């Protein structure tokens, strides 16, 4: 029996089989969780239906996190399938492409800043708030995905780094708020992985090469490795862990000046 047997998990953020959320769904399915999924717009629903079929689920619900009514509606609809659930995976991030290239200040506008923070950080707290009645008192777990650009200045990551810093603070405040009712909140800081979101970052291939040459493991990580860590963090095996950022990055974040 898998270590997530009996758990119900809502997985957001599947866009393709390369999505980190796909790796998470795969690991959670293997460990016995029942899954439900979200899609962001009608033209992308087929892709999420494909995931649901692959992982034995028939719950596929719409949610564009820029719309308050869709966040509310998601949990109203989910409540018609499940009287409660245990795991919320927030694998959602976006910043306009022109903000993810070149100099930070060149791509900086009030609008780009607002979009990046709204979709990539505010949505975590908004979903946690709307999910609260269904998650309360079950010993459940919320997990989001962040990146090292939250803490270090990295080329091209720019306003997304600010949004991820906000997201990581969000994890700590949510963990403190929801801890008394038994819900844990954590983040995984994943190393670079070639996904559709990542391809929006200028020179992403160079980032991958740099990690593969320098990380302690001398390679990048896979969605399977992130998925396995996510399954652990959302399981009862991690019942004492909350408010944390866990790195799944082949050790890259531990480096200082190397290779000299
Ligand atoms: P992806 O493109 O497969 O997934 C991004 C997801 O965000 C998509 O499913 C997309 O539909 C969703 N999304 C965007 N706008 C949305 C909206 N308005 N409403 C609802 N959903 C919306 O890419 P990914 O790399 O799997 O990204 C998942 C998460 O992992 C993101 O938060 C990303 O920042 C983070 N992350 C990625 C990497 C990487 O290198 N790929 C590294 C660290 C963290």
């Amino acid at each position: 029996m898998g270590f997530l047997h009996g758990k119900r998990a809502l997985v957001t953020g599947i866009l393709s089989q390369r999505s980190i959320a796909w790796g998470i769904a795969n690991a959670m399915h293997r460990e016995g969780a029942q899954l439900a999924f979200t899609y962001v717009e009608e033209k992308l629903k087929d892709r999420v239906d494909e995931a649901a079929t692959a992982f034995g689920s028939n719950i596929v619900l719409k949610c564009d996190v820029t719309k308050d009514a869709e966040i509310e509606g998601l949990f109203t609809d989910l409540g018609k399938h499940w009287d409660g659930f245990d795991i919320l995976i927030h694998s959602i991030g976006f910043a306009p492409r022109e903000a993810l290239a070149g100099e930070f200040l060149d791509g900086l506008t009030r609008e780009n800043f607002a979009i990046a923070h709204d979709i990539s950080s505010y949505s975590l707290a908004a979903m946690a708030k709307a999910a609260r009645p269904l998650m309360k008192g079950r010993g459940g777990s919320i997990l989001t995905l962040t990146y090292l650009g939250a803490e270090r200045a990295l080329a091209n990551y720019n306003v997304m780094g600010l949004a991820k810093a906000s997201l990581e603070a969000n994890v700590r405040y949510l963990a403190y708020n929801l801890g008394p009712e038994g819900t844990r909140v954590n983040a995984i800081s994943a190393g670079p992985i070639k996904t559709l979101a990542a391809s929006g970052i200028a020179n992403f291939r160079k980032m991958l090469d740099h990690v593969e040459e320098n990380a302690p493991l001398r390679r990048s990580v896979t969605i399977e490795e992130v998925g396995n860590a996510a399954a652990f963090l959302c399981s009862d095996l991690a019942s004492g862990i909350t408010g944390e950022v866990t790195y799944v990055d082949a050790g890259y974040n531990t480096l200082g000046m190397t290779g000299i």
Side-chain angles (χ1 to χ4, degrees):
M1 195 187 298
F3 60 70
L4 289 174
H5 180 76
K7 302 282 190 197
R8 293 170 176 162
L10 175 65
V11 178
T12 68
I14 286 191
L15 193 55
S16 75
Q17 292 195 14
R18 292 182 165 202
S19 293
I20 291 175
W22 184 285
I24 294 174
N26 193 29
M28 292 197 163
H29 175 65
R30 185 194 66 221
E31 296 303 333
Q34 282 176 265
L35 303 180
F37 298 91
T38 64
Y39 64 98
V40 64
E41 53 183 332
E42 289 305 327
K43 68 177 184 196
L44 299 172
K45 181 171 185 291
D46 284 355
R47 300 184 188 192
V48 183
D49 283 339
E50 186 192 330
T53 304
F55 301 126
S57 167
N58 59 2
I59 310 176
V60 178
L61 305 169
K62 184 168 188 317
C63 185
D64 175 343
V65 296
T66 62
K67 299 180 176 136
D68 291 343
E70 293 203 9
I71 295 177
E72 280 299 321
L74 168 63
F75 294 102
T76 305
D77 290 346
L78 188 66
K80 292 175 189 158
H81 296 271
W82 291 342
D83 57 1
F85 75 105
D86 309 288
I87 297 169
L88 172 59
I89 301 298
H90 176 274
S91 189
I92 293 170
F94 180 80
R97 186 176 275 263
E98 70 270 17
L100 298 173
E103 288 191 12
F104 168 53
L105 291 178
D106 282 348
L108 183 72
T109 63
R110 191 181 296 271
E111 193 186 4
N112 287 345
F113 182 98
I115 292 171
H117 283 72
D118 183 25
I119 297 180
S120 312
S121 178
Y122 173 74
S123 64
L124 175 70
M127 292 187 105
K129 187 171 177 171
R132 192 174 186 183
L134 287 174
M135 294 192 78
K136 198 171 183 171
R138 297 175 62 100
S141 184
I142 298 174
L143 184 83
T144 188
L145 277 304
T146 185
Y147 182 54
L148 187 62
E151 303 161 65
R152 314 266 173 89
L154 303 180
N156 301 310
Y157 204 61
N158 299 344
V159 76
M160 199 61 173
L162 281 66
K164 292 297 194 192
S166 164
L167 180 72
E168 292 184 9
N170 213 327
V171 165
R172 291 184 284 272
Y173 278 87
L174 285 171
Y176 184 60
N177 193 159
L178 297 175
E181 58 196 54
T183 303
R184 298 181 297 107
V185 186
N186 290 292
I188 287 178
S189 184
I193 300 175
K194 196 163 169 28
T195 62
L196 284 163
S199 63
I201 304 166
N203 291 329
F204 183 77
R205 182 67 243 176
K206 283 190 182 170
M207 287 170 75
L208 263 183
D209 290 345
H210 182 76
V211 167
E212 286 164 6
E213 283 159 23
N214 293 284
L217 295 180
R218 303 294 194 278
R219 62 174 178 82
S220 53
V221 293
T222 65
I223 61 169
E224 286 75 20
E225 290 174 311
V226 177
N228 286 335
F232 160 71
L233 282 170
C234 293
S235 77
D236 294 341
L237 296 173
S239 55
I241 303 175
T242 194
E244 294 289 347
V245 176
T246 298
Y247 296 87
V248 181
D249 68 347
Y252 184 82
N253 77 92
T254 64
L255 299 178
M257 195 182 296
T258 54
I260 50 176

